[in-house]
Amino acid sequence: MMKIRDGFVTNSSSTNFLIISKEELTIDYLMKKLGVSPNSPIVSEMESLCREIIDGSQSGVRWFNVAEINYDTVLEVFGQNSANRYKELTSIGYHAFMGHTGSDDSPLTSFFTTDCFILDERGLYIDGKNCVW
Amino acid sequence: MNNINYLVGKELFFSKTLKTSRFCLFLYFKVKRRSYIGQILYRLWEYFVKNNILLYSEYKKYYIREYKNYAEYLERHYTLPSDLVKKILNNKLRYKCLKDWPDVGIQNLVQTPDAEIIRKFLEFLKIVSLENYDED
């Protein structure tokens, strides 16, 4: 049966993201920082999201040629605010990752891709505002 | 009272209970309220529940002369089959139209085919979807 979708219909989209994390990115660490308990009913959906974020961080950003993550490349891709946070947090030992996700991934990752947000809390900073869709 | 809520196309008929409240949302899904996933779930909750209408109050205020009784108001004003009206009829019944919700990202997520998170969310709100409801 054909499903008609009203609302926003688009081609595939991508978003670049910046993650500045107190610890190395693992699924368990991301799950904890994104707010989900190990016994949550949606743990498998969140695991998919976290796995796809980590995979995305290994493929780098789209539309920009970034050889190395530093203040200047963060400034170029994500803007002044994120560049300032990058400078503050990496000076106290945080790790920085850049990557991209797509709207063809799992439903939560697709939502993550098309959502426009900044997450800034203890131990984790995510800039998800660099999206094209 | 029937605790099942019904989604008929884009129209939701439901009763508010403590178990499907904002308070219980985070307990049920075992997420932190002020977290990334907590905010997504809260946006989903708003999509289904916020800005609803208390139907009996609407009927009494505006439609009491037009329809013989509350049941007839539900049947004719919302074009609902009589057997469904019998199931949902109560004075605390609420209505929410899900069309044109401003949170486009959430709307897209809800419309994603086979999204498990949405299926689980509908379970939490005890919503049965009746896309093509036919009277038996």
Side-chain angles (χ1 to χ4, degrees), chain A residues 12-62:
Chain A
S12 294
S13 311
S14 303
T15 194
N16 290 326
F17 60 79
L18 168 71
I19 297 179
I20 312 172
S21 168
K22 192 175 181 185
E23 297 181 20
E24 285 290 341
L25 278 191
T26 61
I27 291 178
D28 287 344
Y29 183 71
L30 263 182
M31 296 262 285
K32 181 181 161 191
K33 298 313 284 183
L34 293 179
V36 68
S37 300
N39 56 350
S40 165
I42 55 169
V43 72
S44 58
E45 288 77 25
M46 286 299 292
E47 277 175 352
S48 296
L49 169 65
C50 294
R51 190 174 306 114
E52 283 159 0
I53 289 173
I54 291 171
D55 289 346
S57 71
Q58 284 156 7
S59 357
V61 294
R62 294 191 71 186

Side-chain angles (χ1 to χ4, degrees), chain A:
Chain A
M1 184 174 82
M2 183 172 75
K3 279 200 175 187
I4 296 174
R5 184 169 170 157
D6 58 293
F8 203 98
V9 180
T10 180
N11 291 324
S12 294
S13 311
S14 303
T15 194
N16 290 326
F17 60 79
L18 168 71
I19 297 179
I20 312 172
S21 168
K22 192 175 181 185
E23 297 181 20
E24 285 290 341
L25 278 191
T26 61
I27 291 178
D28 287 344
Y29 183 71
L30 263 182
M31 296 262 285
K32 181 181 161 191
K33 298 313 284 183
L34 293 179
V36 68
S37 300
N39 56 350
S40 165
I42 55 169
V43 72
S44 58
E45 288 77 25
M46 286 299 292
E47 277 175 352
S48 296
L49 169 65
C50 294
R51 190 174 306 114
E52 283 159 0
I53 289 173
I54 291 171
D55 289 346
S57 71
Q58 284 156 7
S59 357
V61 294
R62 294 191 71 186
W63 316 294
F64 294 90
N65 193 3
V66 172
E68 179 194 340
I69 301 175
N70 53 41
Y71 177 86
D72 291 327
T73 52
V74 173
L75 179 66
E76 182 190 359
V77 181
F78 296 100
Q80 189 68 62
N81 291 339
S82 285
N84 290 344
R85 285 303 270 151
Y86 169 84
K87 196 173 173 183
E88 284 168 40
L89 294 173
T90 52
S91 71
I92 55 171
Y94 278 50
H95 310 274
F97 308 90
M98 282 193 196
H100 73 275
T101 55
S103 60
D104 291 338
D105 292 330
S106 64
L108 264 186
T109 307
S110 177
F111 178 84
F112 174 92
T113 300
T114 55
D115 203 23
C116 186
F117 68 98
I118 296 275
L119 178 72
D120 190 355
E121 56 172 69
R122 194 180 297 175
L124 189 73
Y125 176 88
I126 301 180
D127 182 331
K129 292 175 81 173
N130 185 299
C131 47
V132 175
W133 69 296

Side-chain angles (χ1 to χ4, degrees), chain B residues 69-83:
Chain B
N69 52 45
Y70 179 42
E72 186 183 290
Y73 160 67
L74 292 177
E75 279 181 43
R76 290 179 52 195
H77 191 73
Y78 292 99
T79 345
L80 295 176
S82 55
D83 64 331

